Amino acid sequence: MNITEKINNLIKDNLYALSLYARQIAGTLVLFIIARYLSVYDYGVFSSYKAIACFILTFACLGYNEYILVSSQNNVRMVSQKIALFMTNAFFLVFGTIFCSMFMPIDWHLIFILVLIRCFFDGTFFALILPYFQASKKLNTIGIINITYSILVMAIACMSYIFKLSLLKFLLLSCCIGLINFIQCSLYTKTNYFFVLLKPIHYLKLLDKSIWGYIGVIVAFILYSQIPSLFVSTYLTKENAALYFSAFTIANIIGLLITAQNQKIVPEMINASFDKVKMLIKNNFKFIMSINTIIFIIFVFSGKPLLQLIYGQKYYGNAYWLLLIFTISNISLALANIYGAYITASGNQYMKVRFQLVSITISIFTLLITYKLGVYSAALAYLLSAGYIGFAYMHKTKQLLKIQEKGE
């Protein structure tokens, strides 16, 4: 086998993971590109609305993607039915939010609505449709869909930059691409949302009490991870919000590895032996933590000029220390996801709730006593809560693995 064939096989075997990196990188680069030509105020408005929209949409997927896969034990038919149920629930949430927003004191109602719809197509939909491809062993198919979508959103961002399109036009184009992708994926997976409306009782009976563990974990995660962002979006000026989210966005490069690897190994851990689980955790730890360390070192020595270069304005260089704080925080979350994947796959998702509650307390308490520090108060709250979660998940996973080893 020559080098070309080896490379092709490597890409084929890891197409899904590569596609997740492509989507995450594309999403990050889109923010960088539009920040270069939008005013600081407009970028602050977009970032703030995006944070609020993502917060709301989290309730459309309270860990349902993982619940669908684990509770259905990879049964494709059962997975498809549950996807239709939870997707319909997401529709009601989106339409309800749009209706309620008309009565809220929002400066740009249309912009907020479009940001909400874009976030739904860009995140919530992909999360809820993913279990079908995981259960049917068609990760390469969703990989191709991810890569195609990434190229299109990047094309829209570049076109917006070249022609200096307004934020409104950028959002309209983004929503159109999202709608097309939504229709294509729904047809491919043969997901019929109307059946849920016709037979709601039948679909609701598919649920079991284990769902509360997933809901509890995500609700708690929202509170400890999003409270700092909401504090910045609502309490601080839009200029400070732009500074905060500019650093947060770059630091989330580490999240590219976290999301991709977590979604890849959770299905592999379901009903897996002790030795296989241990190997998956060990390999994942080495891979993610080594790359994260390299990224942190790069940010230490070139963070400030990098911020100025990416966003095209000297003002964003002031986010250097925020960038380092967020990067360390996300390394802790990477550790949490490495070990937390096993907690989820082993059916012990509910165990995460008490750790999340402690993190919520840490986040809120930190904001209460340091709120005068502004953006640094929010960054510190994120750092401390993330650090605790990383340690807690690692400790609990090691305990569960000892139990499994004795059981085998």
Side-chain angles (χ1 to χ4, degrees):
M1 182 181 295
N2 57 41
I3 297 178
T4 302
E5 291 178 339
K6 289 182 178 180
I7 294 175
N8 288 335
N9 289 335
L10 182 64
I11 292 175
K12 184 178 179 180
D13 293 339
N14 296 278
L15 182 61
Y16 173 65
L18 292 173
S19 74
L20 287 180
Y21 300 149
R23 274 198 65 224
Q24 295 288 341
I25 291 172
T28 302
L29 290 178
V30 165
L31 296 179
F32 294 162
I33 291 171
I34 65 173
R36 291 185 68 86
Y37 79 90
L38 290 178
S39 67
V40 173
Y41 179 81
D42 283 352
Y43 183 69
V45 167
F46 172 73
S47 299
S48 298
Y49 286 175
K50 183 173 180 289
I52 295 171
C54 289
F55 176 81
I56 294 171
L57 287 172
T58 306
F59 292 94
C61 189
L62 293 170
Y64 301 149
N65 53 326
E66 293 179 333
Y67 167 75
I68 290 170
L69 187 66
V70 176
S71 66
S72 302
Q73 292 295 294
N74 288 337
N75 183 292
V76 177
R77 181 173 177 275
M78 187 68 70
V79 165
S80 296
Q81 291 180 327
K82 290 183 179 180
I83 287 175
L85 172 63
F86 288 115
M87 200 74 76
T88 303
N89 173 67
F91 297 154
F92 280 113
L93 178 64
V94 170
F95 292 135
T97 301
I98 291 174
F99 176 77
C100 292
S101 70
M102 304 306 297
F103 303 97
M104 301 298 290
I106 299 175
D107 294 334
W108 294 351
H109 283 91
L110 181 57
I111 295 295
F112 174 76
I113 291 171
L114 291 175
V115 169
L116 176 69
I117 295 173
R118 179 182 182 273
C119 289
F120 168 78
F121 286 139
D122 194 54
T124 306
F125 171 69
F126 273 103
L128 290 176
I129 207 71
L130 176 63
Y132 172 87
F133 296 96
Q134 291 175 305
S136 61
K137 310 299 181 183
K138 295 182 179 179
L139 288 179
N140 280 356
T141 301
I142 188 64
I144 294 173
I145 293 172
N146 280 333
I147 292 173
T148 303
Y149 180 81
S150 301
I151 293 172
L152 291 175
V153 297
M154 277 296 298
I156 289 174
C158 291
M159 184 172 65
S160 299
Y161 176 76
I162 293 171
F163 295 103
K164 298 297 185 289
L165 299 183
S166 66
L167 180 58
L168 175 62
K169 292 179 180 178
F170 163 75
L171 290 171
L172 285 171
L173 289 172
S174 298
C175 289
C176 287
I177 293 298
L179 179 61
I180 293 171
N181 179 72
F182 168 79
I183 294 173
Q184 289 179 328
C185 287
S186 296
L187 291 174
Y188 179 84
T189 59
K190 298 179 181 179
T191 305
N192 196 319
Y193 310 112
F194 295 105
F195 282 177
V196 180
L197 300 177
L198 295 175
K199 300 179 179 180
I201 303 301
H202 167 74
Y203 280 85
L204 288 173
K205 287 182 178 179
L206 298 175
L207 306 179
D208 59 72
K209 64 181 182 180
S210 68
I211 191 175
W212 294 110
Y214 294 84
I215 292 175
V217 168
I218 297 302
V219 169
F221 172 78
I222 293 170
L223 292 174
Y224 90 77
S225 66
Q226 296 298 318
I227 283 176
S229 294
L230 292 174
F231 167 78
V232 172
S233 299
T234 58
Y235 181 75
L236 303 181
T237 65
K238 297 305 179 186
E239 288 75 14
N240 278 330
L243 199 66
Y244 179 91
F245 289 112
S246 65
F248 192 82
T249 299
I250 296 180
N252 273 344
I253 289 175
I254 290 177
L256 311 182
L257 295 170
I258 297 174
T259 302
Q261 292 302 114
N262 193 55
Q263 292 178 355
K264 187 170 182 282
I265 67 173
V266 167
E268 297 178 32
M269 286 183 173
I270 296 177
N271 297 323
S273 65
F274 168 79
D275 290 333
K276 183 178 180 180
V277 171
K278 190 174 181 180
M279 180 193 68
L280 287 170
I281 291 177
K282 181 180 179 181
N283 293 341
N284 206 31
F285 180 87
K286 288 182 178 179
F287 177 64
I288 291 181
M289 300 309 288
S290 61
I291 294 180
N292 287 348
T293 301
I294 293 172
I295 291 175
F296 177 72
I297 292 173
I298 292 174
F299 286 165
V300 168
F301 291 101
S302 59
K304 188 170 184 177
L306 187 63
L307 284 161
Q308 295 174 340
L309 175 65
I310 290 175
Y311 291 102
Q313 298 184 47
K314 188 176 180 180
Y315 173 78
Y316 289 103
N318 296 322
Y320 171 72
W321 290 107
L322 292 172
L323 176 62
L324 297 186
I325 294 173
F326 289 142
T327 304
I328 296 173
S329 303
N330 287 337
I331 289 176
S332 297
L333 290 180
L335 185 67
N337 275 268
I338 292 170
Y339 288 95
Y342 175 72
I343 298 176
T344 299
S346 62
N348 293 301
Q349 185 79 347
Y350 69 93
M351 291 184 175
K352 294 181 179 179
V353 176
R354 65 175 180 271
F355 302 129
Q356 304 277 26
L357 292 176
V358 174
S359 283
I360 293 171
T361 304
I362 292 173
S363 182
I364 294 175
F365 184 72
T366 302
L367 286 172
L368 288 175
I369 63 176
T370 66
Y371 70 93
K372 291 184 178 180
L373 297 177
V375 290
Y376 289 101
S377 174
L380 183 60
Y382 187 74
L383 171 65
L384 295 179
S385 58
Y388 169 76
I389 283 293
F391 172 79
Y393 281 16
M394 179 179 65
H395 180 68
K396 175 52 66 175
T397 297
K398 289 182 177 180
Q399 289 181 336
L400 292 174
L401 284 172
K402 287 181 180 179
I403 295 174
Q404 181 179 353
E405 184 180 18
K406 291 179 181 179
E408 293 181 0

